[in-house]
C-alpha cells in the first residue's frame, strides 16, 4: 500500500508537534498584545487596573462589541456590512421613541426594523447577487434617511422616560462590579462563538467564505447562509441601538456615524481574515477591548486628545494586516 | 449496444442540455452498472463536463430521463444528488483550503453531540477514514497545507464516505504524481469491489485502459460509442473521439511532433548557468540553441516549473546567470526577461495566464502593448494586424477577435496565450505543460505549432508530464531531481524507456533502496506514469 504522507518543504516553518507557531500567533496575537498593553498601562498609569476603570472601559464599548459580533459572521463569509453604523443609530432612535409604549416595544421595534434591513441586505446579496459593499452602502444611506425622517431631520431627540425598567437594568451591576451590558456582551459572544465554531450552520459560514463555488458543490446552502449572516448583523445593530438608547437615556442621532469602520477594525485586529473563510468570535471581542483600552489610556494621559486614538487605531490596523499577510505567506505550500 | 449486466444504478436516456446558441447535449444515453468503472471520453467541448453537471444537479436538463435504481430521478441541486448517493469529484479539487482537513471531510454531516459538533469524534473518524486512502496527516491542519495529491484523496474520501452509490471523477489525475495515481487506482479498485459505480473522465488514455471497464465516447453532444473498453483498440478510440478516419490517425502518430529539428550552430538562444534558489533549485544549468526543443523531465516537484520561472525572471535567485543569444539578461524580474526575448507560457493558464473577461484581441495584445504603441498611445491598426496574423497562424477558433476568451475551449485559450507571447517576437519560448487539460485535437495542434516555432529558429523549453509528448517533441531532455540536473538524454537515446530509467535512477534514495533489497529484479522504486 503506497501512502501519501505529507512532506512539508523547507525547515523551520513549523514546530515539530501540534499547532504551528504562525497559527497560534494568528489566533492569539491580539490577546497577547492586549495583555501586554494592560500590564504596561497598569504599571505606568495610576488607577488604571482597578475594577471600576476596567468595567467602565468594557461597558463603554459594549455596543461596539455587539456590532463587531454580527460583523464577524459577515466577514467570515467574505462579505462586509457597512450599514451597521446607521442601522445602529436608527435602532437607538427607534428604541427611545418606542420606550414611551413600554420596555417590550422599545426592545421589539428596533430589533424588527434593523433585522429587516439586515434581511434586505442578505436577500439582495445572496439572491440578487449584488456586491456586499454596494448593497450595504445603499442600505446605510437608506437607514440614515429613515432615521432622519423619524427624528424630524434630527431636530427631535426622543427621551427615555425616567424610571424605565431597561434603564435601571442597563446601568445595573452584577455583585456591584460587573455591569449588566458587559454581561450581555459576554453571553452573546458565548452564544455566537458556539454558533460559529460548533454548529453545522457555523461550518457553512466558514465554507461560504472559503470558496463559494466549492461550498455550493459540496452541498452547502450558500444563499441561505449569506442571508442569515446579514440578518444576524442587522439584529446585532438593533440590539446595540437599544442598549445605547437606554445607556444614554435618549436616541442620539449622530452617534454611530462611522462606527461600522471601528467594528470592522476590531474584527480584523481579532484575527479574522477580510478575505473570508477564517476567523473567530473571541478574537473580535479581544479586538474591541484592545481598541477601548487604547482609547482609555490616551484619555488618561494628559496632553493627548481623544482624536489621537483614531491615529493609533489606524496604525494598529496596518500592523495587524501586515502581520497577517506575513503569516499567511509563511504557510507552507505543498 | 445494450448489455445484460442487470439493472444499472444510474440510467440516462436522451439527455438534452441547451446553452444559449449551442446544444451541449443532444440526446445522450448513459448506463452505469454497480462495480464497474465507466470511462467518459471526448474532446473538450464534446459535452463531458456538461453531462456530469446535468447528472449531479449543477445544471438543469432540457430533456431526457434519469433513473436511479430503476426509478425516475432528477436532482435540482448538488446537495440533492449527494443525498441520493451521487458523489462527484470535480476537476479542480473543490474543497476549502482554509478549513481543517477534518472539517472539509465532514462538512454538512458532522458528528453531533446534543446538536453541537463533536470535534474529538470528528477528528478520530477523519483520521481513520483518510488512513484507508493512504493519507496520514494531522486532520486538524488546514487543507491548504496538503499537497494536491493528498487533497484529491480527501475529496475522494469525502465523496465515498457519504455512502455513495455512484462516484464521478472528473480528471482526477491531472495534478497527481505517479505515486499518487497509483494510490488512486488502488482506491478505485476497492470502490469497484464494494459495488460502487465509478465514472472516470481523463484525457490520459493509458489510465483509461488500466482502470476502466466500460467506455462512452462523446462527440459534439452525442454519445457516439458505448461499450466495454477491453475490446476497443486504442487507435479506434482516438478515431471515435476525433471523428476521424483510423488510418489517418495511424499515419499521423499519437502525437503530431515531427522528427528532429534542424538545430542551428553558433551562440545558444538561451544559456542558464547555476540557477540557485533556496529549497527549490540547486545549480541548474542548461542551454538551448536556436531551433532546438529541449525537454525538462522529472517528477512533480523536481524543479521543472521553478527552472522555467527562474529563467523568466519570476523566481528570485540567489545565484545564477541567464543569457539570451550570448547577451546576459540585464536587471531582474519578468520585465527584464521579456525585454531580453524570453517568454513563459505558465502551467496554470486559468490563474496565471488568460484574462477571462477580456476579448481574444485584448488578451493577445496585452503583453505586446508597449511594442504596439507610440508615445504611450496604442495604435489600433497595428494591434489589429498582429491579432489577425496570430489568430490565423495559430488557427485560433473564435467567432472573431472580439469574442471573450472565457467562451473558448481550453485548447483555444492556450493558443491565445501562445499568441500573446509570440506577439513579443521572443528568441526563447518556455512552455510549461502546454497541453495539459486540453483535448486530443487541440493537443495535436499545439504540438505541431511547437514544431513550427522551432523551425522558425526559436529556442523552446518544453515541460511536460506526458512522457510520450516529451520524447517525441524534444531533441534533448534534461532530467531534474530535487532542483538539480541528474541526467541528460539526446539524439537517439531520447526514448520513453530511457527517460523512465533516468528519472527512476535520479529518484532512488538510499532509504528506498533498502526497501527494494528484497529480491532479484525488484520493481523500480518509483512507478513512473507512462
Amino acid at each position: 500500500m503506497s501512502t501519501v504522507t505529507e512532506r512539508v518543504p523547507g525547515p523551520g516553518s513549523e514546530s515539530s508537534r501540534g499547532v504551528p507557531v504562525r497559527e497560534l500567533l494568528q489566533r492569539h496575537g491580539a490577546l497577547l498584545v492586549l495583555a501586554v498593553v494592560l500590564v504596561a498601562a497598569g504599571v505606568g498609569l495610576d488607577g488604571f487596573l482597578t475594577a471600576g476603570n476596567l468595567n467602565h472601559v468594557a461597558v463603554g464599548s459594549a455596543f461596539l462589541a455587539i456590532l463587531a459580533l454580527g460583523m464577524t459572521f459577515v466577514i467570515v463569509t467574505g462579505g462586509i456590512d457597512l450599514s451597521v453604523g446607521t442601522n445602529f443609530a436608527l435602532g437607538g432612535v427607534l428604541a427611545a421613541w418606542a420606550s414611551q409604549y413600554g420596555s417590550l416595544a422599545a426592545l421589539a421595534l428596533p430589533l424588527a426594523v434593523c433585522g429587516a434591513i439586515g434581511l434586505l441586505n442578505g436577500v439582495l446579496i445572496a439572491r440578487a447577487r449584488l456586491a456586499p459593499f454596494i448593497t450595504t452602502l445603499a442600505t446605510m444611506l437608506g437607514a440614515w434617511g429613515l432615521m432622519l425622517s423619524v427624528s424630524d431631520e434630527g431636530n427631535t431627540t426622543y427621551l427615555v422616560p425616567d424610571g424605565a425598567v431597561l434603564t435601571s437594568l442597563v446601568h445595573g451591576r452584577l455583585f456591584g462590579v460587573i455591569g449588566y451590558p458587559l454581561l450581555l456582551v459576554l453571553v452573546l459572544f458565548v452564544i455566537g462563538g458556539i454558533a460559529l465554531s460548533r454548529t453545522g450552520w457555523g461550518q457553512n459560514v466558514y465554507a461560504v467564505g472559503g470558496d463559494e463555488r466549492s461550498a455550493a458543490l459540496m452541498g452547502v446552502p450558500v444563499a441561505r447562509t449569506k442571508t442569515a449572516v446579514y440578518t444576524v448583523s442587522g439584529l446585532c445593530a438593533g440590539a446595540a441601538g437599544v442598549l445605547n438608547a437606554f445607556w444614554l437615556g435618549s436616541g442620539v442621532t449622530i452617534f454611530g456615524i462611522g462606527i461600522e469602520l471601528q467594528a470592522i477594525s476590531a474584527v480584523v485586529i481579532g484575527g479574522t481574515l477580510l478575505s473570508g473563510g477564517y476567523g473567530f468570535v473571541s478574537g473580535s471581542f479581544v479586538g474591541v477591548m484592545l481598541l477601548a483600552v487604547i482609547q482609555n489610556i490616551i484619555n488618561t494621559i494628559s496632553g493627548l486628545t481623544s482624536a489621537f486614538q483614531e491615529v493609533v487605531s489606524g496604525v494598529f490596523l496596518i500592523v495587524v494586516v501586515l502581520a497577517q499577510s506575513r503569516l499567511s505567506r509563511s504557510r507552507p505550500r505543498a | 449496444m445494450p448489455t445484460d449486466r442487470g439493472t444499472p444504478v444510474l440510467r440516462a436516456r436522451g439527455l438534452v442540455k441547451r446553452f444559449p446558441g449551442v446544444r451541449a447535449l443532444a440526446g445522450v444515453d448513459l448506463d452505469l452498472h454497480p462495480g464497474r468503472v465507466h470511462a467518459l471520453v471526448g474532446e473538450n467541448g464534446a459535452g463531458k463536463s456538461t453531462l456530469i453537471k446535468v447528472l449531479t444537479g449543477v445544471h438543469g436538463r432540457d430533456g431526457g430521463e434519469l433513473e436511479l435504481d430503476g426509478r425516475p430521478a432528477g436532482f435540482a441541486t448538488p446537495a440533492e444528488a449527494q443525498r441520493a448517493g451521487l458523489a462527484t469529484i470535480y476537476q479542480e479539487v473543490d474543497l476549502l483550503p482554509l478549513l481543517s482537513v477534518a472539517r472539509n471531510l465532514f462538512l454538512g454531516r458532522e458528528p453531533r453531540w446534543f446538536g453541537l459538533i463533536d470535534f474529538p469524534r470528528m477528528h478520530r473518524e477523519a483520521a481513520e477514514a483518510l488512513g484507508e486512502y493512504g493519507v496520514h496527516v494531522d486532520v486538524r491542519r488546514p487543507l491548504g497545507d496538503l499537497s494536491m495529491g493528498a487533497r484529491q484523496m480527501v475529496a475522494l474520501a469525502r465523496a465515498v464516505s457519504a455512502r455513495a452509490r455512484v462516484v464521478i471523477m472528473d480528471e482526477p489525475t491531472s495534478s497527481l504524481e505517479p505515486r499518487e495515481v497509483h494510490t488512486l487506482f488502488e482506491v478505485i479498485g476497492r470502490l469497484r469491489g464494494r459495488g460502487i459505480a465509478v465514472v472516470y473522465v481523463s484525457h490520459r488514455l493509458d489510465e483509461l485502459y488500466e482502470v476502466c471497464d466500460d467506455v462512452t465516447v462523446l462527440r459534439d453532444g452525442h454519445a457516439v460509442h458505448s461499450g466495454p473498453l477491453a475490446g476497443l483498440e486504442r487507435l479506434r478510440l482516438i478515431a471515435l473521439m476525433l471523428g476521424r478516419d483510423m488510418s489517418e490517425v495511424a499515419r499521423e502518430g499519437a502525437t503530431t511532433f515531427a522528427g528532429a529539428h534542424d538545430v542551428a550552430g553558433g551562440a545558444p538562444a538561451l544559456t542558464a548557468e547555476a540557477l540557485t534558489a533556496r529549497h527549490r533549485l540547486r545549480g541548474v544549468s542548461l542551454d538551448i540553441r536556436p531551433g532546438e526543443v529541449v525537454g525538462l523531465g522529472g517528477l512533480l516537484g523536481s524543479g521543472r516549473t521553478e527552472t522555467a520561472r527562474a529563467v523568466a525572471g519570476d523566481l528570485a535567485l540567489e545565484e545564477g546567470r541567464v543569457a539570451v543569444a550570448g547577451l546576459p539578461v540585464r536587471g531582474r524580474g519578468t520585465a527584464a526577461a521579456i525585454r531580453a526575448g524570453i517568454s513563459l507560457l505558465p502551467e496554470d493558464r486559468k490563474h496565471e495566464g488568460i484574462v477571462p473577461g477580456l476579448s481574444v484581441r485584448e488578451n493577445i495584445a496585452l503583453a505586446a502593448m508597449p511594442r504596439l504603441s507610440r508615445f504611450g498611445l496604442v495604435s489600433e491598426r497595428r494591434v489589429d494586424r498582429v491579432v489577425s496574423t496570430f489568430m490565423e497562424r495559430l488557427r485560433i477558433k473564435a467567432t472573431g477577435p472580439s469574442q471573450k476568451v472565457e467562451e473558448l475551449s481550453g485548447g483555444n485559450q492556450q493558443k491565445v496565450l501562445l499568441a500573446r507571447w509570440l506577439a513579443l517576437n521572443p528568441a526563447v519560448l518556455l512552455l510549461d505543460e502546454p497541453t495539459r487539460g486540453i483535448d486530443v485535437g487541440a493537443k495535436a495542434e499545439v504540438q505541431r505549432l511547437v514544431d513550427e516555432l522551432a523551425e522558425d529558429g526559436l529556442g523552446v523549453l518544453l515541460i511536460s508530464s506526458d512522457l510520450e509528448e516529451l520524447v517525441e517533441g524534444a531533441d534533448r531532455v534534461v532530467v531534474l531531481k530535487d532542483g538539480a540536473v541528474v541526467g541528460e538524454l539526446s539524439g537517439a537515446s531520447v526514448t520513453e524507456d530511457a527517460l523512465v530509467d533516468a528519472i527512476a535512477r535520479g529518484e532512488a534514495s538510499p532509504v528506498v533502496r533498502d526497501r527494494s533489497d528484497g529480491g532479484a529484479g525488484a520493481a523500480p522504486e518509483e512507478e513512473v506514469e507512462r
Side-chain angles (χ1 to χ4, degrees), chain A residues 60-104:
Chain A
S61 57
F63 58 89
L64 179 62
I66 296 173
L67 295 180
L69 177 63
M71 188 70 79
T72 309
F73 294 112
V74 171
I75 291 182
V76 171
T77 64
I80 197 101
D81 189 352
L82 298 178
S83 68
V84 294
T86 54
N87 216 356
F88 159 71
L90 173 66
V93 170
L94 287 177
W97 176 78
S99 63
Q100 54 184 313
Y101 303 107
S103 295
L104 197 62

Side-chain angles (χ1 to χ4, degrees), chain B residues 11-16 28-30 55 61 63-67 72-73:
Chain B
R11 173 196 287 265
R13 282 292 169 268
L15 285 186
V16 175
V28 172
D29 296 350
L30 184 70
L55 288 179
R61 65 196 134 106
E65 269 125 55
L66 210 58
E67 280 177 17

Side-chain angles (χ1 to χ4, degrees), chain A residues 84-313:
Chain A
V84 294
T86 54
N87 216 356
F88 159 71
L90 173 66
V93 170
L94 287 177
W97 176 78
S99 63
Q100 54 184 313
Y101 303 107
S103 295
L104 197 62
L107 205 58
L109 182 71
L111 286 180
V113 173
C114 296
I117 290 174
L119 181 65
L120 178 67
N121 279 332
V123 169
L124 288 175
I125 291 162
R127 306 278 173 186
R129 296 176 178 274
L130 300 183
F133 190 93
I134 290 301
T135 309
T136 57
L137 187 64
T139 49
M140 166 178 137
L141 297 172
W144 182 242
L146 206 56
M147 191 213 59
L148 286 181
S149 73
V150 170
S151 63
D152 301 326
E153 308 210 344
N155 291 324
T156 309
T157 303
Y158 298 105
L159 295 178
V160 176
D162 287 335
V165 184
L166 283 176
T167 308
S168 53
L169 211 57
V170 163
H171 288 276
R173 291 180 176 205
L174 184 67
F175 311 128
V177 186
I178 305 169
Y180 282 123
L182 177 59
L183 212 59
L184 174 71
V185 165
L186 290 176
V187 169
L188 288 179
F189 268 80
V190 167
I191 294 172
I194 290 173
L196 187 59
S197 66
R198 301 295 298 263
T199 66
W201 178 77
Q203 304 302 297
N204 291 347
V205 172
Y206 280 113
V208 169
D211 186 332
E212 215 174 300
R213 205 176 58 92
S214 297
L217 288 176
M218 289 166 90
V220 172
V222 174
R224 213 194 315 155
T225 307
K226 283 169 108 181
T227 309
V229 293
Y230 286 96
T231 310
V232 166
S233 181
L235 287 172
C236 284
V242 175
L243 186 68
N244 198 46
F246 285 93
W247 180 254
L248 298 174
S250 66
V252 180
T253 52
I254 54 161
F255 209 78
I257 307 305
I259 202 173
E260 64 276 353
L261 300 180
Q262 279 188 52
I264 294 168
S265 316
V267 171
V268 172
I269 287 171
T272 298
L273 291 184
L274 260 181
S275 48
Y278 184 90
F280 18 81
V281 159
S282 59
S284 299
F285 181 75
V286 173
V288 170
M289 290 306 140
L290 197 51
L291 289 180
V293 166
I294 290 173
Q295 180 170 32
N296 182 258
I297 291 170
I298 290 170
N299 289 344
T300 313
I301 299 172
S302 53
L304 286 179
T305 66
S306 67
F308 199 68
Q309 190 231 341
E310 308 298 331
V311 178
V312 175
S313 302

Side-chain angles (χ1 to χ4, degrees), chain B residues 81-354:
Chain B
Q82 261 169 40
R83 276 195 294 276
L86 256 72
T88 312
I89 301 147
Y90 295 94
Q91 190 167 357
E92 282 86 29
V93 187
D94 275 301
L95 295 175
L96 303 156
L98 286 173
L99 292 196
S100 76
V101 175
R103 283 201 205 177
N104 267 289
L105 202 53
F106 281 95
L107 186 72
R109 51 192 176 82
E110 297 88 354
R112 302 298 172 87
W113 183 77
F114 289 112
L116 299 182
I117 294 168
D118 184 349
F119 278 108
R121 196 175 128 209
M122 188 166 109
H123 290 146
R124 204 171 52 241
E125 288 181 4
E128 275 170 25
L130 288 179
E132 279 188 43
Y133 294 88
V135 178
H136 301 282
V137 295
D138 183 350
V139 296
R140 289 164 301 176
R141 274 171 52 188
L143 184 83
D145 288 1
L146 268 56
S147 71
M148 287 307 285
R151 285 195 224 181
Q152 192 99 45
M153 289 301 164
V154 174
L156 191 61
R158 175 183 161 79
V160 174
S161 63
R163 277 176 221 85
R165 311 279 317 281
V166 178
V167 174
I168 301 171
M169 302 182 190
D170 195 355
E171 298 247 16
T173 55
S174 59
S175 51
L176 296 193
E177 290 180 45
R179 186 169 46 102
E180 296 168 331
V181 172
H182 183 68
T183 311
L184 179 73
F185 286 180
E186 278 181 4
V187 171
I188 292 177
R190 260 182 285 149
L191 295 180
R192 181 197 272 141
R194 280 164 51 186
I196 291 173
V198 178
V199 176
Y200 191 91
V201 180
S202 178
H203 286 303
R204 301 184 182 171
L205 298 188
D206 301 291
E207 288 178 1
L208 300 182
Y209 278 97
E210 194 176 336
V211 78
C212 296
D213 305 305
D214 303 313
V215 63
T216 292
V217 183
L218 290 179
R219 195 172 69 231
D220 298 332
H222 296 272
V224 293
H225 176 87
S226 205
L229 184 61
L232 190 68
E233 236 182 294
R234 176 181 297 234
L235 221 52
R236 172 145 170 71
L237 181 63
I238 296 175
L240 279 167
M241 288 165 67
L242 296 179
R244 268 199 271 168
D245 210 17
M246 263 173 73
S247 55
E248 195 184 324
V249 177
R251 199 169 53 243
E252 288 183 5
T255 73
T256 45
F257 285 120
H261 306 105
D262 291 328
V263 175
L270 177 83
T271 320
E273 277 176 86
L275 304 177
T276 307
R278 209 158 72 96
H279 300 316
R280 294 177 173 191
L281 295 177
R282 298 180 293 142
V284 173
S285 299
L286 53 85
D287 55 72
I288 305 170
R289 279 163 291 167
E292 189 182 32
V293 178
V294 174
L296 267 188
L299 297 172
L300 212 67
S302 58
R304 294 172 306 180
T305 294
E306 288 77 3
T307 301
R309 285 180 49 205
V311 170
D314 191 28
L315 183 72
L317 289 176
E318 275 144 35
E319 221 189 299
R321 283 164 304 281
V322 177
V324 176
L327 300 169
V329 174
R330 279 194 297 180
R332 283 165 183 272
T334 48
I338 290 171
R339 251 196 325 273
I342 299 173
S343 288
L344 167 68
L345 192 69
E347 184 179 12
D348 186 348
R349 74 170 169 267
K350 267 201 190 126
H351 295 114
E352 298 178 349
I354 62 160

